């Protein structure tokens, strides 16, 4: 195909397409690559460094999610430096965060042999923000992946209610002027919830069920439907608790050509009419 | 004291354009205008001038890369965000000869055919900001910015005061800062010479770097190369502080020995030194057995050290170097922008471990932990801050393992 | 309300004094706002959003990023004490102790709002250690006696 070229991955020659990132090539070639901040529909934040690879000629390792493949690149994904760096990233996060609602992070950490006890020291100690009826923010779970800021900003919503604030270990996500969600510019689309990889921002209903010990993933049944509010045609996934026949949360598939996983406040949270008349 | 080039007007000339011109100033800019941009780039390349901010990239090549970009809008940025602990040479240079810095910048703008110069001065340098800005205004009033830009247009000068963030000395973070964002570094490539400030080809030069340029224009590349070593041309400014009798900025040709510099400054005040920290917070500890190290990029590298920005902090015998390292660790933890995991969490963990060692606690396990953490930060951080935040610590661990540490 | 209106008016003046209203003016605008009000208050950010199109939350991200900008009030004069390597060798901890004694807790304005103090990173005055800044101007070498005098004058 025009625009195709070869790169070398772990000594094996593979084909890359013009404009592809290294990560895209690795995924197609089924080279397992851990990722945390990367999201298919958002600008790569290259912040977590879980996906780093060794690129010949580059002094430091490079983030495969961001770096475009170029003809002739020689990439190592299993070198000692790569293995050590990736494990280090997970070990550092495990030493900092509450990972209770981040099964994906924990599974990847286990797969690469990260030791949760490797580092000790100050953990994130941050307040829980339960300041609105729709979602809860628990920043002890936040790994600062930038996804929510990007989704709230130019990548999807253009609302600009969220920012990264502070610096260093004190850096974190803030709403508006470091205030409650209702005081900020938030329109409660919940797209920050949709992209959060660790459950740091979580729909309030799910959060409450978890607190009460009622949340059971195996009892969730997903029903596909189309949003009934307007003519755009957003596809919805209703996550229904089979035990109570109650909608716990609403999402949209990230691959859906209309939504790319993003919804508005009505689509994501406007479902209480389905419960009308219930006890 | 050897010949003073960059500091020759120190304490002698009031910062007025008239005095500057009377003492030979602006002759380099005049020569540059005669030669044309391409020849200026060639001359600066021939001189062997390397960037003095720490990375030592050949200045002429950088200029020429920007000059020859097809994109017509180019910028020059003066990186005067000097914030490396132990470094104050740019402050002293602006104080002593602000017009020399401005003249070098105007030549840079002309050589790269840039339409605008940004003076990015660290926010803590209020007196130097005033000096540079006054000079820029005098130069503009005197018509010296005329015709320097692309196609004979005038070059504009704009001022930006830094907000108090070490990371903004990193060039991509500096761009973000000028553009009105948090100073979070971006990945390279794309390199600034291709996509820099406002995504336009941009030259970023350190204060000391541009101050070398006017003399290269007036006295030529051969004169310039006659000072220094084969691979490090010219003279270098060193900021020396700590346990020394005469802390100050010293100018020495490349190739001088560290011991010469220490003697000039009266290091140790008569007492022997434990070590010096060479190259700033991101530099390395150098011990007495290596005080004969040649101060040049290649000389330092041969001993596993780095000149960095030319900072030298001296520690008298008996100084607890782990306590020094703890200070460095705290500095990096405070200055990490927080963007990437290895640096954000890594600098914090490094500081915590150093805190233990500084207090006399911690043993082999903590030392091993520091080493593995260092590897993660060096390999996986986005930018130079995280990549070098453990350099000094590693040099201390090495010295300790080799028995070079007293006590 | 009157205070808020006067802050808004001053912020508009500051923005109008810049060569443009593009985002690249933000850092300079924030320096001026900080200088005028000893912090960047939310209303200033609202005015910046209206005039320059920079979202309030982006300004918050920027203000909290830089050491010289604050969203919390500081004293009309700020004493900054360097605690990095060289200054530490030359007794910066005595300056910090003197400040704690005579100026109160770090970061908190004195009762009359005239002064606050904070520790800071290297000020580039290592040749005159221990170094401090008072109201943005160098104060080096600084002594515990001076810190106490500043306290006596201001508190």
């Amino acid at each position: 195909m025009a625009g195709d070229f070869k790169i070398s991955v772990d000594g094996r020659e593979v084909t890359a397409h013009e404009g592809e990132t290294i990560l895209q090539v690795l995924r197609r070639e089924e080279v397992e690559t851990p990722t945390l901040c990367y999201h298919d529909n958002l600008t790569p934040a290259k912040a977590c460094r879980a996906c780093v690879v060794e690129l010949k000629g580059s002094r430091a390792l490079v983030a495969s999610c961001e770096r475009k493949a170029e003809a002739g690149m020689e990439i190592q994904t299993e070198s000692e430096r790569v293995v050590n760096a990736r494990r280090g990233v997970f070990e550092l996060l495990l030493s900092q965060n509450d990972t209770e609602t981040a099964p994906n992070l924990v599974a990847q950490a286990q797969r690469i042999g990260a030791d949760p006890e490797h580092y000790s020291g100050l953990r994130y100690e941050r307040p829980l923000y339960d300041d609105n009826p729709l979602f809860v923010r628990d920043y002890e779970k936040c790994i600062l992946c930038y996804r929510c800021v990007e989704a709230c900003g130019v990548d999807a919503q253009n609302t600009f209610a969220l920012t990264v604030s502070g610096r260093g270990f004190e850096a974190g996500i803030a709403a508006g002027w470091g205030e409650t969600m209702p005081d900020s510019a938030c329109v409660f689309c919940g797209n920050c919830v949709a992209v959060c990889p660790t459950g740091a921002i979580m729909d309030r209903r799910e959060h409450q069920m978890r607190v009460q010990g009622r949340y059971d993933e195996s009892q969730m049944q997903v029903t596909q439907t189309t949003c009934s509010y307007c003519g755009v045609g957003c596809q919805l996934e209703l996550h229904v608790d089979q035990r109570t026949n109650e909608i716990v949360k609403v999402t949209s598939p990230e691959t859906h050509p209309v939504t790319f996983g993003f919804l508005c406040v009505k689509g994501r949270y406007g479902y209480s009419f389905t419960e009308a008349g219930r006890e | 004291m050897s010949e003073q080039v960059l500091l020759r007007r120190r304490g002698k000339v009031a910062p007025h354009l008239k005095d500057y011109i009377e003492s030979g100033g602006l002759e380099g800019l005049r020569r540059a205008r005669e030669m044309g941009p391409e020849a200026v780039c060639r001359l600066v390349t021939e001189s062997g001038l390397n960037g003095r901010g720490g990375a030592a990239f050949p200045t002429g090549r950088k200029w020429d890369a920007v000059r020859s970009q097809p994109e017509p809008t180019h910028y020059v940025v003066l990186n005067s965000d000097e914030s490396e602990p132990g470094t104050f040479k740019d402050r002293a240079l602006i104080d002593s000869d602000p017009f020399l810095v401005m003249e070098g910048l105007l030549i840079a703008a002309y050589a790269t055919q840039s339409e605008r110069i940004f003076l990015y001065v660290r926010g803590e340098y209020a007196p130097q900001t005033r000096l540079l800005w006054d000079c820029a205004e005098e130069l503009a009033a005197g018509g010296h910015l005329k015709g320097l830009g692309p196609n004979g247009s005038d070059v504009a000068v704009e001022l930006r005061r830094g907000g108090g963030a070490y990371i903004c000395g990193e060039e991509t973070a500096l761009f973000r800062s000028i553009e009105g964002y948090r100073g979070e570094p971006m990945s390279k490539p794309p390199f600034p010479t291709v996509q820099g400030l406002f995504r336009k080809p941009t030259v970023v030069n350190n204060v000391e770097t541009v101050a070398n340029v006017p003399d290269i224009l007036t006295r030529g590349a051969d004169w310039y190369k006659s000072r220094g070593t084969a691979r490090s041309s010219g003279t270098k400014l060193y900021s020396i502080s700590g346990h020394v009798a005469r802390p100050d900025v010293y100018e020495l040709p490349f190739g001088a020995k560290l011991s010469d510099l220490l003697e000039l400054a009266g290091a140790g005040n008569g007492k022997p030194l434990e070590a010096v920290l060479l190259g700033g917070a991101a530099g390395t500890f150098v011990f007495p057995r290596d005080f004969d190290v040649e101060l040049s990029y290649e000389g330092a590298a041969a001993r596993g050290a780095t000149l960095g920005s030319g900072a030298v902090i001296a520690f008298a015998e008996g100084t607890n170097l782990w306590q020094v390292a703890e200070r460095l660790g705290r500095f990096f933890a405070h200055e990490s922008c927080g963007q990437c995991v290895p640096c954000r969490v890594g600098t914090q963990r490094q500081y915590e471990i150093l805190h233990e060692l500084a207090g006399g606690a911690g043993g082999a396990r903590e030392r091993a932990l520091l080493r593995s953490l260092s590897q993660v930060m060096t390999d996986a951080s986005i930018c130079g801050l995280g990549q070098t935040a453990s350099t000094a610590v590693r040099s201390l661990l090495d010295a300790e393992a080799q028995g070079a540490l007293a006590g | 309300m009157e205070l808020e209106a006067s802050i808004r008016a001053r912020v508009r003046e500051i923005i109008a004094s810049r060569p443009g209203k593009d985002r690249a003016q933000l850092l300079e605008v924030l320096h001026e706002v900080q200088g005028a009000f000893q912090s960047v208050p939310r209303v200033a950010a609202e005015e910046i959003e209206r005039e320059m199109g920079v979202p309030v939350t982006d300004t918050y991200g920027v203000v909290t990023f830089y050491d010289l900008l604050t969203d919390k009030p500081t004293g009309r004069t700020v004493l900054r004490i360097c605690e990095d390597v060289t200054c530490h060798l030359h007794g910066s901890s005595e300056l910090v102790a003197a400040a704690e004694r005579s100026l109160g807790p770090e970061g908190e304005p004195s009762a009359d709002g005239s002064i606050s103090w904070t520790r800071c990173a290297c000020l580039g005055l290592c040749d005159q250690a221990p170094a401090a800044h008072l109201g943005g101007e160098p104060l080096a070498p600084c002594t515990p006696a001076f810190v106490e005098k500043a306290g006596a004058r201001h508190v």
Side-chain angles (χ1 to χ4, degrees):
Chain A
M1 213 167 88
D4 282 3
F5 51 86
K6 301 286 184 193
I7 69 172
S8 148
V9 175
D10 300 326
R12 188 161 60 89
E13 191 170 90
V14 304
T15 300
H17 309 314
E18 184 76 46
E20 266 184 334
T21 61
I22 295 172
L23 181 64
Q24 285 172 313
V25 180
L26 296 180
R27 293 229 159 132
R28 190 175 52 250
E29 295 294 325
E30 296 181 347
V31 178
E32 196 176 302
T33 311
T35 57
L36 291 168
C37 68
Y38 175 78
H39 186 285
D40 278 335
N41 301 330
L42 298 171
T43 309
K46 38 89 177 157
C48 75
R49 318 306 282 177
C51 72
V52 289
V53 296
E54 191 167 345
L55 170 64
K56 192 176 177 186
S58 172
R59 193 167 37 90
L61 304 178
V62 304
S64 62
C65 64
E66 183 194 40
R67 188 66 178 266
K68 295 263 193 281
E70 289 166 39
M73 274 182 167
E74 290 179 39
I75 288 156
Q76 297 289 331
T77 72
E78 293 168 334
S79 69
E80 200 187 320
R81 288 175 70 200
V82 171
V83 170
N84 180 64
R86 289 178 177 176
R87 195 173 54 224
V89 162
F90 281 92
E91 286 173 343
L92 286 168
L93 287 175
L94 292 172
S95 76
Q96 161 194 275
N97 288 104
D98 172 353
T99 54
E100 199 197 327
T101 53
N104 178 39
L105 186 157
V106 173
Q108 292 192 80
Q110 281 169 350
R111 211 146 50 226
I112 62 173
D115 171 9
E117 310 289 321
H118 189 73
Y119 297 106
S120 55
L122 202 62
R123 300 182 73 85
Y124 272 178
E125 282 177 27
R126 289 167 189 196
L128 181 99
Y129 293 92
D130 187 1
D131 57 18
N132 71 82
L134 302 178
F135 55 83
V136 172
R137 296 176 287 152
D138 181 355
Y139 287 132
E140 291 183 8
K141 296 172 176 165
C142 174
I143 59 167
L144 215 65
C145 68
Y146 287 65
R147 283 185 186 183
C148 59
V149 176
E150 293 183 337
C152 189
V154 289
D155 278 1
Q157 190 61 30
N158 284 294
T159 288
F160 305 102
L162 296 174
T163 185
V164 177
S165 71
R167 212 167 68 192
F169 200 72
E170 302 297 317
I173 304 295
W177 196 252
E179 57 207 358
T180 65
M181 286 317 303
D183 283 338
S184 77
C186 182
V187 297
F188 298 97
C189 63
N191 287 329
C192 52
V193 181
V195 296
C196 180
T198 60
I201 315 183
M202 183 178 276
D203 285 327
R204 196 156 181 276
R205 195 170 267 192
E206 179 182 342
H207 172 79
Q208 281 182 320
M209 289 176 70
R210 284 178 185 271
V211 169
Q212 293 158 358
R214 285 197 294 128
Y215 188 83
D216 182 352
E217 191 73 49
S218 68
Q219 294 296 326
M220 292 299 150
Q221 190 180 39
V222 177
T223 303
Q224 308 273 348
T225 184
T226 302
C227 183
S228 58
Y229 279 105
C230 77
V232 170
C234 295
Q235 192 181 336
L236 303 183
E237 299 163 323
L238 311 178
H239 300 249
V240 179
D241 188 331
Q242 296 177 70
R243 295 168 299 188
T244 56
N245 206 28
E246 188 182 79
I247 296 174
V248 175
K249 64 181 171 188
V250 177
T251 58
S252 182
E254 285 168 13
T255 50
H256 190 256
V258 172
T259 69
F260 295 100
F262 301 116
L263 293 169
C264 75
V265 61
K266 289 177 281 184
R268 195 180 301 280
Y269 293 116
Y271 53 75
S272 57
F273 64 85
T274 62
E275 293 154 16
R278 284 201 200 178
E279 277 308 299
Chain B
M1 191 75 143
S2 61
E3 185 196 3
Q4 301 288 285
V5 182
L6 298 172
L7 297 177
R8 65 179 177 275
R9 292 190 182 86
R10 196 177 192 189
K12 291 179 191 146
V13 175
H16 295 297
L17 184 55
K18 186 172 138 291
D19 301 311
Y20 181 66
I21 292 173
E22 273 171 18
S23 66
L26 293 189
E27 186 57 23
L29 179 61
R30 195 187 61 77
R31 283 281 300 138
R33 287 184 193 261
E34 283 171 13
M35 292 170 68
E38 195 174 349
V40 173
C41 290
R42 206 173 323 125
L43 177 69
V44 173
T45 304
E46 279 168 19
S47 76
L49 173 63
N50 287 333
R52 302 290 200 247
F57 191 83
T59 305
R61 271 176 49 201
K62 205 194 256 186
W63 287 12
D64 203 49
V66 170
R67 184 193 64 78
S68 53
Q69 286 297 319
E71 158 65 48
T73 306
H74 306 164
Y75 298 114
V76 170
V77 176
L78 177 72
N79 186 348
S80 183
D81 195 45
E82 179 171 72
S83 310
E84 183 83 31
T87 310
F88 45 93
K89 61 170 180 85
D90 294 342
R91 189 205 82 215
L93 184 51
I94 294 170
D95 279 342
S96 84
D97 206 347
F99 278 109
L100 184 68
V101 176
M102 283 306 305
E103 184 182 355
L105 267 180
L106 295 183
I107 296 169
Y110 177 68
T112 55
Q113 289 291 284
S114 293
E115 61 174 51
R116 196 170 288 265
I117 296 169
F118 287 86
L119 307 174
Y120 191 91
V121 190
R122 75 175 293 199
E124 290 86 346
Y125 279 2
Q128 291 71 34
T129 307
R130 289 192 291 268
L131 268 174
L132 275 181
W133 187 244
D134 288 350
C135 290
E137 293 206 311
E138 265 202 83
L139 285 163
H144 299 286
L145 276 51
K146 286 201 185 307
L148 291 176
N151 307 315
S153 61
D154 300 348
V155 70
V157 183
E158 227 177 286
L159 175 72
R160 282 293 183 289
R161 287 170 289 170
Y166 168 71
I167 187 59
C168 291
E170 197 280 338
E171 50 193 5
T172 61
L174 199 165
F175 298 151
R176 297 301 283 166
S177 184
I178 292 178
E179 291 164 3
Y181 291 85
R182 296 163 55 83
E184 294 174 355
M186 299 178 285
S187 304
K188 292 187 271 194
F191 289 97
T193 50
V194 182
Q195 275 184 35
L197 185 62
F198 305 116
R199 315 299 281 170
K200 304 295 184 192
T202 305
V203 155
V204 183
N205 279 152
N206 175 263
V207 172
E208 184 186 348
T209 310
V210 292
N212 277 278
V213 170
D215 286 315
I216 292 172
L217 269 292
T218 52
R219 299 161 107 170
D222 288 340
W223 168 83
Y224 191 77
K225 279 192 291 193
S226 70
R227 275 148 196 80
T229 66
R231 290 174 54 199
S232 305
S233 292
T235 59
K236 176 83 192 82
L237 299 180
Y238 299 96
S239 321
I240 181 160
S241 66
H243 292 137
V244 297
R246 294 174 294 280
D248 202 349
V249 173
Y250 294 87
E251 180 174 6
L252 292 173
F254 279 111
K257 303 255 182 253
L258 175 59
S259 49
D260 300 339
L261 178 64
L262 293 173
E263 205 184 307
L264 274 174
N269 258 327
K271 272 172 61 183
L273 290 184
E274 182 83 40
V276 306
L277 181 62
L278 175 63
T284 52
F285 286 98
V286 176
F287 294 84
R289 58 177 183 186
D290 282 322
F291 282 177
D292 62 338
V293 60
E294 178 189 285
L295 295 176
S296 63
Y297 297 117
E298 65 273 25
R303 305 278 179 108
T306 162
L307 287 191
S309 56
V312 177
I313 308 178
F315 307 103
E317 210 169 72
T319 309
N320 182 335
L321 295 182
W322 285 111
Q323 288 177 2
V324 174
E326 181 199 13
R327 293 273 137 186
L328 300 176
R330 204 189 54 169
F331 172 79
F332 283 114
H334 177 71
E335 297 298 338
S336 166
C337 82
Q339 185 182 191
C340 70
V341 173
C343 181
R344 178 178 77 242
V345 196
T347 54
Q348 172 69 21
R349 294 290 171 259
Q350 174 173 267
Y351 169 54
E352 289 163 350
I353 302 166
L354 289 170
H355 181 70
E356 270 190 61
L357 293 173
R365 188 186 173 272
E366 282 66 30
R367 285 167 170 79
L369 208 51
L370 276 180
R371 279 198 191 273
S372 72
L373 177 58
S374 167
Q375 195 62 49
V376 174
M377 288 197 283
T378 306
D379 279 338
S381 296
I382 293 174
C383 79
L385 190 152
Q387 290 164 11
T388 61
S390 59
T391 309
V393 171
R394 217 164 44 226
S395 76
L396 193 53
L397 286 168
D398 289 346
E400 194 183 57
Q402 294 156 11
L405 249 65
Chain C
M1 239 30 222
E2 209 171 295
L3 175 68
E4 197 184 301
S6 75
I7 294 175
R8 287 182 190 277
R10 181 77 191 99
V11 172
R12 278 197 300 274
E13 268 173 38
I14 288 168
I15 294 169
S17 74
R18 299 297 308 164
K21 288 188 171 186
D22 51 309
R23 182 154 182 167
Q25 307 298 328
L26 182 64
L27 191 51
E28 279 297 320
V29 167
L30 293 174
H31 271 300
E32 296 292 327
V33 172
Q34 177 82 32
F37 304 107
Q38 293 86 49
S39 72
V40 180
R42 194 189 198 280
V43 285
E46 289 166 17
E47 211 54 36
I48 287 168
E49 177 170 289
R50 198 182 331 237
E51 293 285 319
M52 300 173 64
V54 180
V56 164
T57 202
D58 279 24
T59 297
Y60 184 74
V62 170
V63 167
T64 55
F65 185 86
Y66 294 102
D67 281 353
L68 297 177
L69 303 173
T70 59
D71 61 312
K72 309 257 175 347
T74 62
R76 282 189 295 280
T77 301
V78 178
L79 175 70
R80 308 171 67 82
I81 300 172
C82 171
E83 269 212 307
D84 271 321
V85 175
T86 303
C87 288
H88 184 65
L89 291 178
H90 289 95
S92 63
S93 17
E94 288 162 39
L95 301 182
V96 169
E100 276 168 344
R101 249 188 341 263
S102 59
L103 301 175
E106 180 176 3
E108 277 182 33
S110 54
D112 66 351
S114 63
I115 192 166
S116 62
W117 74 279
T118 178
R119 291 178 279 193
C120 68
C122 181
L123 292 165
L125 295 164
C126 324
D127 50 342
Q128 299 151 50
H133 262 200
L134 188 65
E137 300 293 327
L139 179 68
C142 185
T143 61
F146 183 90
V147 173
E148 269 157 19
K149 209 167 75 192
R153 199 181 316 145
H154 286 283
V155 175

